[in-house]
Amino acid sequence: MKEFSVPMALVDYIPVILFLLATGLLIKDLQEKMNRPAFLLFAGGTGLVTAAGLLKATYKLLYALNVGDFAWMSAQFFSNQAFGFLLAGVGLMMHVLKKERTYAFLPTMALVGIMVVGLGAMDAGLCFLANRLKKRNALVCFIVSFFLSLAMGYLSTKNFDKAFMNWIAQLVNLCGQFLLYLGCRILHKAGLKEL
């Protein structure tokens, strides 16, 4: 029996919304500067990550409300998030490094590695942009956000049937996504669109 409550499920939406707001700012600021393949990879990847998070949060809410146990909504999360971060990271790195093509590599047995590489590439690209805009506070936000996301990977190996593990994971995720949003907000205000 999973110990999901309605407040827990509602809190689970907050990091998803923060991620959506952060990547929405990036898309708004970078869409005219990125070549089409890089933009499509970035936008598609961040959209996949957002959808994965929304489905997982909705799963918890439906379970807490005793509507049903729609296990597929939870099961899809890890693989969709991993591939989403990979696509977003490759897209952003293509923009930062001005590469015109990318090579598809999707080893199915390395979801954790893919997510770390994709998230690392995305955060590295954001750190590069923060450094170019001389916004050290944004750089720190992105670095700490990355390590909190790595902590989420560790936490995902734990048993989430108990409420306290869900609350710990949600707090870590909330902090990580808030720092991502804050860093993107700083870049936006610093003139990322004009960079």
Side-chain angles (χ1 to χ4, degrees):
M1 184 76 170
K2 297 174 181 74
E3 296 178 359
F4 297 150
S5 65
V6 172
M8 176 192 297
L10 293 175
V11 168
D12 209 28
Y13 283 101
I14 297 172
V16 178
I17 292 167
L18 290 170
F19 182 81
L20 179 63
L21 292 172
T23 56
L25 285 173
L26 291 172
I27 288 170
K28 180 180 176 185
D29 288 344
L30 297 175
Q31 73 180 13
E32 294 178 18
K33 300 187 179 330
M34 294 177 107
N35 64 34
R36 187 147 177 86
F39 178 75
L40 290 174
L41 284 171
F42 182 74
T46 58
L48 187 58
V49 171
T50 301
L54 285 173
L55 282 171
K56 177 86 181 233
T58 302
Y59 165 74
K60 288 181 181 179
L61 182 61
L62 293 173
Y63 191 93
L65 292 171
N66 292 319
V67 173
D69 186 0
F70 303 98
W72 68 268
M73 294 174 84
S74 179
Q76 61 75 42
F77 177 74
F78 193 63
S79 57
N80 284 335
Q81 186 182 53
F83 288 118
F85 276 124
L86 175 66
L87 295 175
V90 168
L92 190 57
M93 290 306 289
M94 283 174 61
H95 170 66
V96 169
L97 300 175
K98 302 295 184 210
K99 297 291 182 195
E100 294 300 322
R101 355 182 221 160
T102 185
Y103 301 96
F105 58 98
L106 301 175
T108 57
M109 297 305 289
L111 289 178
V112 173
I114 288 171
M115 188 166 75
V116 169
V117 168
L119 184 59
M122 184 174 143
D123 281 325
L126 292 170
C127 286
F128 176 85
L129 293 170
N131 193 50
R132 286 212 37 216
L133 288 168
K134 298 181 180 14
K135 292 296 178 184
R136 304 284 185 237
N137 50 354
L139 186 95
V140 170
C141 286
F142 297 133
I143 291 170
V144 175
S145 174
F146 175 72
F147 283 106
L148 288 172
S149 293
L150 290 180
M152 284 299 297
Y154 167 75
L155 288 172
S156 71
T157 65
K158 302 301 177 196
N159 182 354
F160 277 90
D161 290 344
K162 299 295 178 196
F164 76 94
M165 282 307 297
N166 269 284
W167 281 112
I168 290 170
Q170 284 188 6
L171 181 61
V172 170
N173 194 23
L174 178 66
C175 292
Q177 297 309 318
F178 176 75
L179 287 172
L180 175 67
Y181 171 72
L182 184 61
C184 291
R185 190 82 189 146
I186 292 167
L187 294 185
H188 176 72
K189 285 186 172 188
L192 179 61
K193 190 171 188 172
E194 289 76 35
L195 178 67

